[in-house]
Amino acid sequence: MRIVVDLTRCQGYAQCVFLAPEVFELHGEEALLYDPAVPDSQLDRVRQAAAACPVQAILVGEEVRAGVR
């Protein structure tokens, strides 16, 4: 599965980092780093992270292709 994070929306709340630390990493205080290709073992955690994002900055799977928010 692929993900995209809208970094212009991301406010650095880091909920994704807490829920899926193998995919998301906070570099410094506000710079989010992530791997757009999510391993199968992390799918559930990434979906939880996307749902928990206060600004809905994470697009997952089919949303990535459609550009749907």
Side-chain angles (χ1 to χ4, degrees):
M1 177 196 318
R2 297 197 54 82
I3 60 170
V4 172
V5 177
D6 183 344
L7 296 174
T8 60
R9 250 180 199 245
C10 178
Q11 297 294 308
Y13 291 108
Q15 295 302 307
C16 57
V17 176
F18 296 119
L19 292 166
E22 292 186 28
V23 176
F24 301 100
E25 176 185 348
L26 202 55
H27 191 289
E29 291 186 26
E30 294 184 9
L32 181 69
L33 303 175
Y34 69 98
D35 185 351
V38 177
D40 290 341
S41 64
Q42 295 297 307
L43 294 179
D44 288 337
R45 288 178 155 264
V46 167
R47 285 189 181 108
Q48 290 172 358
C53 179
V55 295
Q56 299 297 292
I58 304 169
L59 295 175
V60 179
E62 293 301 316
E63 295 174 341
V64 171
R65 285 191 211 110
V68 174
R69 179 156 305 284

